[in-house]
Amino acid sequence: MRDTWREVPPTAGLPLQWRDFDPRRKRPPLEEALAEFLDVPSVQLECSGTAALVIALTTLKRHSIRRSVIMPAYTCPLVALAVLHCGLKPLLCDLEPGTFEFHAPALARLFGSDVLAVIATHLGGRFCDLVPVMSAARRCGAFVIEDVAQSLGASRRGVKAGTMGDIGVFSLAAGKGLTLYEGGALVTKDSALRDALQKTSAALAPDNASWEWRRSLQLIGYGLFYRPSMLRFAYGTPLRRALRKGRMIEAIGDDFASTIPLHRVGAFRRNVGARAAARLPAFLDALAMQAAMRRRILQTIPGITVIGDADYTRGTWPFFMVVMPTSAARDCALDQLWTAGVGVTRLFMHALPDYPYLQAHFGANDVPNARDFASRMLTISNSPWLLEKDFHRICSVIADAAAPSLRNSR
Ligand SMILES: *Cc1c(COP(=O)(O)O)cnc(C)c1O
């Protein structure tokens, strides 16, 4: 159905403006802006969400003899790579059927005396069910790390995601809302832990001019190309080429190198982020309004589920997570939409044990619900650049793809 030069990004990232690169425009530092936004005393900036996780885990590891880390079986593969990088043992928890939440009985089985931390993950703008995770972790003596890479700004009863657990980890990567092209942040309420995190960071993440130059040019590239008229050069064309060649993991961007860069973020990128951050709250509000309208339309399609907010929570809306009735229906919809330039994709390709580069670590893991979720889910961009007519075309393709499984189930 691709018929225009337009390319819609798969997630609604905050677009940069030329003014964001203007050194004469002074702003409070990015860390201050983020701390105010999250309502915490301070925020520690790192060079990626993964780096932030490595700093967090290294810090916890130094103060404990425990060596296992629980994480969802369906999440960003970088999370598993970060745990392995730290010499810790990832324990995969299966999901509640049809959602991205931890399966409560599976989680209870994993908690034990070797568990250093559990990584509770807020996916796709949603706020995950933290309360039972926190109480189980407390009983076990494990730390709770909140992975807020995809949900900066989500809240529960007014408390922001990332500020409830022991440590919150954020991502400022391209396509995750506010971006420095690559960047991350750490938050903790505990002042002793905050000092320890800063010490770890000072030791592990030195200044590195060559990485910083590279990231600065990439950020300028993002400023240039993150617009519907240009995005096909940076995103759409490489995606379609990878899909033509059957390289699915590459198409999704899940083919991560196993080395994790660790370095300071330079002043140039911090300042760009600080200027852009001023627009974040209004941008998130606009996305929420568009999402409310479009979700109502999606919810009229029989047989599909759009993952929404749990009680007392208010998420953000970078994209919609849509669970199709069967994997055949999902694949049928994606066949028509993935290469169409309208911002429909998969979130992560597989459950973690099914990535070739992680198989050695998770060979025999049985996580049926995570596999089922990976096979039935697709995402629809909530970018303001997704035109009304394209959104309606997406809805009709999805409705048609879901229809045969409805007939079969009658
Ligand atoms: C992207 C992502 C990360 C890693 O963040 P980077 O900034 O890309 O290193 C971690 N967790 C989740 C859920 C993510 O989506």
Side-chain angles (χ1 to χ4, degrees), residues 51-380:
L53 196 54
V54 166
I55 306 277
L57 291 168
T58 305
T59 306
L60 299 181
K61 183 182 171 185
R62 286 212 178 118
H63 296 88
S64 171
I65 54 163
R66 297 174 176 226
R67 290 296 175 261
S68 301
V69 178
I70 300 174
M71 69 179 71
Y74 182 79
T75 185
C76 181
L78 285 168
V79 174
L81 292 174
V83 172
L84 292 166
H85 174 95
C86 295
L88 296 165
K89 184 176 177 218
L91 300 179
L92 301 187
C93 184
D94 203 8
L95 308 181
E96 207 69 59
T99 84
F100 66 91
E101 302 278 2
F102 283 132
H103 186 50
L107 185 64
R109 278 196 297 276
L110 288 174
F111 270 115
S113 58
D114 189 53
V115 175
L116 176 65
V118 51
I119 302 176
T121 307
H122 305 282
L123 274 194
R126 316 280 44 83
F127 195 111
C128 73
D129 196 2
L130 257 184
V131 178
V133 179
M134 302 249 309
S135 57
R138 288 281 170 276
R139 280 196 300 277
C140 161
F143 290 94
V144 175
I145 298 177
E146 286 179 75
D147 180 343
V148 204
Q150 299 194 358
S151 294
L152 171 64
S155 61
R156 181 179 188 278
R157 295 184 188 266
V159 178
K160 290 272 167 47
T163 68
M164 273 178 80
D166 297 295
I167 300 177
V169 171
F170 297 82
S171 169
L172 304 174
K176 299 213 185 170
L178 178 64
T179 189
L180 309 177
Y181 195 81
E182 287 283 9
L186 283 168
V187 161
T188 180
K189 287 176 296 211
D190 182 322
S191 57
L193 193 48
R194 195 175 311 135
D195 292 346
L197 289 170
Q198 273 161 11
K199 277 208 192 81
T200 310
S201 180
L204 289 191
D207 283 323
N208 183 319
S210 87
W211 271 115
E212 196 49 35
W213 265 103
R214 189 157 151 188
R215 295 296 186 228
S216 300
L217 291 173
Q218 285 170 320
L219 186 60
I220 293 168
Y222 175 91
L224 276 169
F225 283 89
Y226 196 77
R227 56 193 73 219
S229 59
M230 298 293 281
L231 196 65
R232 74 199 131 122
F233 299 111
Y235 171 74
T237 303
L239 166 80
R240 284 180 279 277
R241 188 184 309 128
L243 284 177
R244 260 199 317 276
K245 295 188 177 160
R247 294 204 292 258
M248 305 267 258
I249 292 181
E250 183 183 322
I252 287 191
D254 272 357
D255 54 335
F256 298 110
S258 52
T259 53
I260 298 170
L262 293 167
H263 58 94
R264 298 280 89 219
V265 176
F268 170 75
R269 288 197 297 144
R270 283 171 193 253
N271 288 331
V272 173
R275 293 180 200 110
R279 293 191 303 279
L280 184 64
F283 182 68
L284 293 179
D285 286 346
L287 293 184
M289 267 174 53
Q290 174 169 284
M293 288 188 293
R294 292 190 168 174
R295 224 178 113 210
R296 273 201 289 279
I297 297 168
L298 280 168
Q299 278 166 335
T300 63
I301 301 176
I304 72 162
T305 310
V306 185
I307 298 186
D309 281 336
D311 291 349
Y312 312 118
T313 72
R314 222 182 121 202
T316 61
W317 294 94
F319 47 81
F320 300 99
M321 295 192 277
V322 175
V323 186
M324 300 290 287
T326 62
S327 60
R330 196 281 305 271
D331 292 344
C332 169
L334 266 191
D335 276 347
Q336 298 165 72
L337 296 171
W338 207 354
T339 56
V342 291
V344 174
T345 185
R346 298 195 202 183
L347 188 48
F348 306 117
M349 183 77 196
H350 298 301
L352 291 178
D354 298 332
Y355 287 91
Y357 55 86
L358 291 175
Q359 240 150 23
H361 303 281
F362 299 122
N365 256 274
D366 192 23
V367 287
N369 298 340
R371 288 193 165 118
D372 172 65
F373 192 67
S375 78
R376 288 195 293 130
M377 207 254 267
L378 58 79
T379 59
I380 304 172

Side-chain angles (χ1 to χ4, degrees), residues 24 34 156 174 184 304 365 397-398:
R24 291 165 305 181
L34 281 173
R156 181 179 188 278
I304 72 162
N365 256 274
V397 168
I398 286 177

